[in-house]
Amino acid sequence: MQFLKSLLALSLFVGMSNAVFAEEEGPFSKGSTAKTFGFQEEEKALFTGKVVDVLCEISGDCADNCGNGDRLLGIVRDADNKLILPLKNGQFSFNGPVEDLLPYCGRAVDVDGIMVGDAEVYGSKFYMVQKIRDAGAPEFRKANLWTKAWAKRNEESAKKKGPWFRKDPRVLRQIEATGYFGLGHEADRKYAAENQ
Amino acid sequence: MFKRLMGSAAIVVATMLPQPGFANTSAQLIEIKGEVIDTWCYFSGVMGGEDAVIGSAHHTCALWCAAGGIPVGVRTEEGDVFMVLKYSGEDILEKTDTIMEVQSDVITAKGMHYVRDGVNYLVVENVIANDGIQVLNHEDYGSVPPNSFPKNYK
């Protein structure tokens, strides 16, 4: 049952687009084998670039080893020198990309994934990295390291049942303090009374 | 885009200066007011339109995403989003509660604003005010996604 609940949560996160958008062909779509989901202004993107610490790249405030997982990482694309910002890795449970990019800090990589978002409105598209390898290496590996890294950081919580986000100590402390809507427990009780 | 930015942030230093030695990047000190949001759900449309992935409706999901290392943004009333790189001296992905405590809150902050390739980045230096959660959209949308509120709440 818990597995089914987890599966539901994952499918909600990836595939619950209320509006399904048409996949578009982008300038870097050729050769991509990335999965698509019908996200907003979605297009496949396979490209080569260098993994960078974003803050270091734009301001000169640099940290050892790209911040060791504490900083946002980006990819400066070889083809046009654009700084591409990944928001998401290839996992389906609220995971960012830093664990998958960090091993390649300062190195040239090939990445495959999708660009999402309306650049006309937001100024840029943003990236979901699904696969990564050293530039020119024969095999990609999936960008799916986040949950294992979380389990390593949270050994006791990881032993409990359920997906990570339902037992993460940082999340639980906030829900304990201000409830599921962030407005206090009375707001949660009122909502439950009216809707359940 | 640039005009919208000028309208959405009170400019402390009037001129947006190119960064010496940093190609394609400009920087300025700004004061900004906006909601702390989860950027993946906002930009991707994974859970519907912009109105549903902010505020109280999306609060628990914003907590999940922030804890999950998805970049956090500050969204102004005009709809411009600034990707937060540092918050009050902490790198944004540090495993503390600092950024967790302000998810979905409307904050007023001062910090350095950088623009590179159309993306706004923000180093929040100090938070002047925190007005808490201002968008009470759970009254319209419930919890987004629905499973972010317990099915049998007690």
Side-chain angles (χ1 to χ4, degrees):
Chain A
M1 191 60 178
Q2 192 58 49
F3 173 75
L4 290 175
K5 285 181 180 174
S6 301
L7 199 61
L8 175 63
L10 303 188
S11 61
L12 282 170
F13 191 59
V14 171
M16 198 193 79
S17 301
N18 288 342
V20 175
F21 301 92
E23 177 194 334
E24 297 175 0
E25 192 75 14
F28 296 91
S29 297
K30 189 178 178 184
S32 171
T33 59
K35 292 178 184 172
T36 57
F37 304 95
F39 294 148
Q40 184 170 208
E41 302 285 328
E42 174 182 85
E43 58 187 39
K44 293 181 179 182
L46 168 68
F47 59 89
T48 300
K50 183 176 136 185
V51 174
V52 297
D53 162 0
V54 172
L55 185 57
C56 177
E57 177 70 16
I58 65 174
S59 77
D61 175 354
C62 304
D64 289 345
N65 191 33
C66 295
N68 288 311
D70 289 342
R71 288 186 167 198
L72 299 191
L73 303 184
I75 304 163
V76 177
R77 192 163 55 195
D78 282 0
D80 52 12
N81 201 40
K82 279 194 172 179
L83 175 58
I84 305 301
L85 184 63
L87 305 183
K88 188 75 191 69
N89 76 351
Q91 292 183 285
F92 302 141
S93 52
F94 316 98
N95 323 99
V98 69
E99 304 290 352
D100 297 283
L101 296 172
L102 187 61
Y104 301 93
C105 169
R107 283 158 51 186
V109 293
D110 301 323
V111 287
D112 199 1
I114 54 174
M115 301 294 292
V116 302
D118 188 340
E120 293 290 314
V121 175
Y122 302 129
S124 177
K125 286 179 169 294
F126 297 91
Y127 198 51
M128 174 195 213
V129 57
Q130 297 179 7
K131 293 185 286 186
I132 188 167
R133 68 186 178 194
D134 277 308
E139 299 292 332
F140 276 108
R141 70 160 184 75
K142 290 181 180 177
N144 62 1
L145 295 179
W146 195 91
T147 46
K148 282 185 182 174
W150 176 88
K152 199 172 178 181
R153 286 195 299 270
N154 297 274
E155 287 185 359
E156 289 306 310
S157 298
K159 290 174 187 170
K160 298 174 186 171
K161 287 184 178 177
W164 77 269
F165 49 89
R166 296 211 183 272
K167 54 193 181 185
D168 178 76
R170 295 167 72 204
V171 171
L172 294 178
R173 278 195 292 274
Q174 296 310 311
I175 292 173
E176 175 67 24
T178 60
Y180 291 92
F181 295 123
L183 302 170
H185 297 287
E186 185 53 37
D188 288 355
R189 279 192 285 274
K190 182 170 183 284
Y191 175 81
E194 292 172 354
N195 294 280
Q196 293 185 339
Chain B
M1 177 75 180
F2 190 72
K3 284 181 181 174
R4 284 176 61 191
L5 287 177
M6 295 302 100
S8 64
I11 308 305
V12 176
V13 174
T15 310
M16 192 136 200
L17 301 169
Q19 286 275 90
F22 297 94
N24 309 321
T25 306
S26 52
Q28 69 179 160
L29 184 64
I30 63 169
E31 183 175 310
I32 184 174
K33 182 175 184 179
E35 179 181 328
V36 179
I37 66 161
D38 145 29
T39 59
W40 171 251
C41 292
Y42 189 82
F43 288 125
S44 71
V46 61
M47 293 184 187
E50 294 173 357
D51 291 350
V53 292
I54 58 174
S56 57
H58 198 63
H59 178 67
T60 291
C61 189
L63 293 174
W64 293 346
C65 290
I70 288 173
V72 166
V74 175
R75 176 188 179 272
T76 66
E77 197 172 341
E78 292 77 12
D80 296 308
V81 177
F82 295 68
M83 312 301 293
V84 180
L85 297 174
K86 276 193 167 188
Y87 190 89
S88 297
E90 292 184 5
D91 286 322
I92 194 64
L93 299 181
E94 286 188 38
K95 289 29 170 212
T96 69
D97 287 353
T98 306
I99 199 66
M100 301 292 289
E101 289 168 352
V102 297
Q103 290 304 306
S104 318
D105 288 354
V106 172
I107 62 167
T108 304
K110 283 184 179 174
M112 284 302 293
H113 170 210
Y114 301 88
V115 180
R116 168 77 183 261
D117 298 322
V119 179
N120 297 299
Y121 296 96
L122 184 67
V123 174
V124 174
E125 292 174 358
N126 63 305
V127 177
I128 299 164
N130 183 339
D131 298 334
I133 298 177
Q134 295 293 305
V135 179
L136 305 183
N137 53 350
H138 73 288
E139 294 167 357
D140 297 319
Y141 298 109
S143 56
V144 180
N147 69 344
S148 63
F149 192 85
K151 193 174 178 183
N152 298 303
Y153 177 84
K154 288 177 184 172

